[in-house]
Amino acid sequence: MKFKTNYRLLLGKVLFFSVLFAQVVDALTIETFLQSMPPQTMNESKALFEQALHENDLFLLSLCERILPAEQGVDAASHYALYGLSQYVMQPDKTAERLRVNRVLEISLIRAHHPEVQRFFMSLLGLCGDRVTLKVLEPYVCDPVVYDDAVRTIASIGGFAAVSMLFTLQCPEDSENKDASIQNALALFGGELEDLARTTGLPRVLLTAIVAPEGIENQVYVAQLCREALQNKDLKPHYRAMVLRFLVHLDHDAALPELLQAASSSEPILWGMALHLAGKLEGEAVSEAWVSILTQVDEAVKPQVIFMLGKRRDDTAQQAIRNAMRDPSWEVRRAAYETITKESGHAFLNDLLEAMGRADEQREVKAIKSSLLRIPQLEEAVWGEISGDWNAVLSLPTAQKRAYLDILADRKATRFAPMAARLAVDENVQVRQSAYATLASVGETEHAELLFEQLLREEDTSAADSARDALAKVTHRLGLEAMVIDKIKHALSTQSNEQIIRLAKTLRDVGSPEAFDTFRQMVEQAVFAKPQDQEQSSALLDILARWQTSEGEALLVSLWQRLEEETLRMEALKQCIVSIQRNYPDPEKQHEHLFALEEKCTTDSERQLVSEALVKSAITGLK
Amino acid sequence: MYHSSAATTRRMFLKESVRWASVFSIVPRHVLGGAHFTAPSEQITRAIIGVGGMGKGHLEYPGARTVAVCDVDRKHLAESLARLEPGVTGYRDFREVLARDDIDVVHIATPPHWHGIICVEAAKAGKDIWCEKPMTRTIGEGQRVVKAVQRHGILFRLNTWFRFKDNFYGFGSPVLPIKKIVENRLLGWPLTVTVGPATGFDWKFQWSGLTNLKPEPIPEELDYDFWLGPAPYKPYHPHRVHNTFRGYWDYDGGGLGDMGQHYLDPVQYFLEKDDTSPVSISVDAPLQHPDAAGSWRRIEMTYADGCKVILDAESTGDHIPYISGPKGNLYKGLRSDISNFERILASLPDPDPQDTDFYRAVRTRRKFPLNEANGHRSCTIVNLGVIAVRLGRDLRYDPEQERFIDDDAANRLILQPMRSPWRI
């Protein structure tokens, strides 16, 4: 009562002076202040708000008066200013200023009549308000419109205690809404127990223990209640999971039987929780207990038990993982591979290598490879396994050879290049292709020579492409362009058509100016040769159209203009178009080059070909 | 008046849409067939709550059968139902969705001010949860989600994926090699990570709010009061909702709220900070508006071990390292000043695996790699930044207690009271 009287006196004084001196306030000062909103830096903010705080209260009240309902006009600068001020005074050394700003905001709240404006001041007070503010807000809890805002602001400032006090508040017309708001705000600070009691139907003693375990008086009794609840089949699975979790928290290892029982449940939430909690119990005896139920649990659960055991480090758990790698079920084997980590990997290296030897499905090889790649210093470990004998790998199954090669490529294990070299001549074409890819990343100069030989030797076209691709990569990586071009020049005269094309494609992949010169000589010689080898010439023009630089386009245009034989001339023109389309994805650029080409056409059929390309390009441009 | 309580079937909806909507062009998926067609079977069933924005994408996620969709905007609901198989039911009130016993998983793609409440209610209903980022709008709501999920044995997946796969925005590489580099201490320790335009990350300040909103009539199709839910009442304006809500503190945190968890969750992962939070936060920003989120220049967060995360909104150029350490730097495009870097990187062991298939996790009951616990921590980084920007000052934080040290104003923003009757 005393507080209210004093506050009213203070409020009266301020209001009196605010009315009396309203005309004295320097409007320009406020305008200047607001023109600086929002300040761009913390220093600017500090200077501005210090300046504002040096002004009298009327200055601050006048600022507050600028807050109007949005429909009457939004003064964003005032919003910035008042928000900034309410934040600024919350700094630790601004206690006195905070009191002052709070009082101003409270007065402004009292003077406001529109709910939107009242809400604005409440939102600021929610950030900086103090115990006095709580009293100012109380009447608003009875307001039919902003009661909930008031309750929330009180909750922000005073927490549980302040909201609890509101139950004693007598409003002129008591409303259910107000009570609901208060209940709602209280729930923020601890409505769990009531919620759980309402939804689970579990004994209150048990729920109280779950919500506040530090207050348990009779642990044995609560554990007993947990065990009874777990037997209650009417209790929803996720509530049983909650009880199981609490029982483990309470009884630790003594809850193992309940965990094992839950693992046999048909409810995924329950067996999932059991497996999750199993990780919290230590000791080999726990692992033994889990291993003992492996044959009893559901097929869907067994892999998950394995996965859980994989996180344990004792011998029993590790042996279970080894056994799992030989399990007839793919899901169980998969769980075993997936559970291997960087830390546990070395212990399972032999098992993984053996599993790789047994693996006959791509998904299994992939899973094992992933596990191997997690093992630190894998290469050294494998080197030890094969006793330093590269030839040992030759007798491995195809899938295993390919997986090793992939691993070496991923790891860029140059030390293992000799292994890849041996497998580059393997009888299986897939192994050879993997070996080429590996040599692309780990091969040395001698391996470039091997790849060159294989490029010419391969009967399989796609394998030859792999060899060529690897050769180009090694060439670029080691700077072997001169050597490779030299070898190509020497080989050209003795090779068949197909091999000549392979060599030409290699020149394109090498892509250096020297490679282009060599290729130019090849193609000029081929297209102007008499008698004409049409097939070879066409193939070379096709390669030229896919040259990595625009030099290819220029040479094609030049060849087309110089060629006389009609079929080959048309072929050259087609490849000119392909080259333009490939070099200029932008339709406008494409048009430009195609128009230039059209101008050089000498026959109707040539013009028609270019014009079709122009139409196609225009349609693409439209899309 | 819209059917507020009873569930609405697709058939009812289509009937109603003749009255309500202009024109719907409906070609049911079962007529078209298509790659994602799934016959009702033993599949996992799901509901998608919030189908106006990100939720549209969730409709397409393979691996489960959608049986319900929910939205407080009737237009959004009608559009999503038109894309789905017959038999899918539309709801306005998510509580009706959660009350269904035949739903295994709920996808939560509402605006963030709803995430916390719906997550907690879903956990209490025994549903597994696939929640959009940012996980929660406040740190306190995140704490409640963690508790509810763990207590009820629920599986939780946060919907950002850059710690697992995909090119990491403008960085030019996935996160996996970064993880390898960091966990093998190639750059030394502690590390400083700079997340900004110079390293490939745009803070999207186009998500700033407007400061001059004048009330407008609420569109007929929108239940605005439900849309606001726990947020303070503010007069309706179209910029406040749907595609632009991120610009208002009551619902999200501007560009930082939108992109923060995408950018920062991977940082938390490779910095090995999945179970902790920064201890100090400093900020360089203009004064913020009380309602509308604005831009900022720099937020610097430091962990107890000296690792730093710098959120830089302004610096450009390739000279700024993404990660800087005592032994070297890592730049955008996975470039480094460490000699023989590529070869060393390749020789390092792979990080421990992360299974990215949430529906597999639902079947195996294995914890998803980005779950409620580490998701809450990476969302906390975002929320620490938001609070520092809103308060415009440096802060100290206790990661154990999850409270600010000696800062009443900041602590008031940790868990904010909700508009009745909404609670968490």
Side-chain angles (χ1 to χ4, degrees), chain A residues 62-344:
Chain A
S62 301
L63 262 183
C64 293
E65 276 174 6
R66 299 174 71 98
I67 303 298
L68 300 171
E71 61 197 9
Q72 291 176 31
V74 182
D75 181 359
S78 301
H79 284 82
Y80 274 112
L82 287 167
Y83 175 72
L85 204 55
S86 62
Q87 291 305 342
Y88 183 69
V89 297
M90 283 300 276
Q91 296 188 29
D93 56 342
K94 298 287 167 209
T95 314
E97 290 87 343
R98 180 183 170 190
L99 293 177
R100 197 175 141 218
V101 167
N102 279 344
R103 299 300 81 84
V104 167
L105 293 174
E106 288 155 9
I107 289 164
S108 302
L109 169 64
I110 292 164
R111 291 168 70 178
H113 296 295
H114 195 287
E116 204 181 315
V117 181
Q118 290 171 333
R119 283 181 174 130
F120 177 79
F121 288 115
M122 283 190 204
S123 72
L124 296 188
L125 287 165
L127 299 170
C128 64
D130 53 27
R131 290 181 62 191
V132 175
T133 313
L134 295 175
K135 288 290 174 194
V136 175
L137 287 165
E138 269 187 9
Y140 294 91
V141 175
C142 298
D143 184 283
V145 179
V146 295
Y147 62 92
D148 191 60
D149 303 81
V151 171
R152 289 201 316 274
T153 310
I154 289 169
S156 276
I157 300 168
F160 180 82
V163 181
S164 304
M165 293 295 287
L166 295 177
F167 278 120
T168 60
L169 185 71
Q170 295 294 316
C171 291
E173 286 177 33
D174 231 358
S175 82
E176 283 180 16
N177 285 344
K178 174 209 88 176
D179 291 341
S181 265
I182 296 169
Q183 288 284 7
N184 200 59
L186 281 177
L188 184 78
F189 304 103
E192 279 179 279
L193 182 60
E194 293 312 316
D195 267 1
L196 286 171
R198 195 177 60 250
T199 52
T200 64
L202 285 165
R204 209 170 175 84
V205 179
L206 174 55
L207 293 175
T208 307
I210 289 174
V211 170
E214 63 283 357
I216 298 175
E217 287 175 3
N218 188 341
Q219 191 166 318
V220 176
Y221 176 58
V222 175
Q224 180 55 36
L225 288 176
C226 286
R227 291 189 165 87
E228 284 170 15
L230 287 172
Q231 298 310 317
N232 178 1
K233 301 297 176 203
D234 292 334
L235 189 64
K236 287 186 173 174
H238 58 289
Y239 296 139
R240 271 186 278 158
M242 173 178 76
V243 173
L244 184 65
R245 182 172 180 261
F246 188 63
L247 181 63
V248 172
H249 169 80
L250 216 58
D251 263 8
H252 309 287
D253 290 7
L256 186 58
E258 280 76 18
L259 283 185
L260 297 172
Q261 193 183 10
S264 301
S265 161
S266 59
E267 297 291 350
I269 283 190
L270 204 52
W271 60 252
M273 178 63 100
L275 289 167
H276 172 68
L277 293 168
K280 298 191 184 303
L281 304 183
E282 291 175 358
E284 191 156 7
V286 175
S287 299
E288 283 166 6
W290 283 99
V291 169
S292 74
I293 66 157
L294 271 172
T295 51
Q296 298 155 32
V297 294
D298 188 83
E299 254 181 49
V301 181
K302 187 176 172 185
Q304 310 327 319
V305 178
I306 292 298
F307 189 78
M308 179 272 291
L309 286 167
K311 305 296 170 200
R312 306 179 73 86
R313 293 288 173 264
D314 55 74
D315 290 345
T316 301
Q318 292 207 348
Q319 189 52 48
I321 302 306
R322 290 192 178 93
N323 294 343
M325 287 187 200
R326 293 175 175 275
D327 197 279
S329 155
W330 154 241
E331 286 299 337
V332 171
R333 296 198 303 279
R334 182 186 183 186
Y337 304 141
E338 284 176 334
T339 200
I340 288 164
T341 63
K342 274 188 311 178
E343 282 71 31
S344 67

Side-chain angles (χ1 to χ4, degrees), chain B residues 41 59 127 137 168 170 181 183-184 208 222 317 335 339-340 359 411:
Chain B
S41 64
L59 295 173
K127 313 291 185 201
R137 196 187 70 88
F168 190 22
I181 290 161
E183 78 178 1
N184 288 284
S208 296
L222 175 67
R335 294 171 294 116
S339 60
N340 215 7
Y359 288 125
N411 280 326

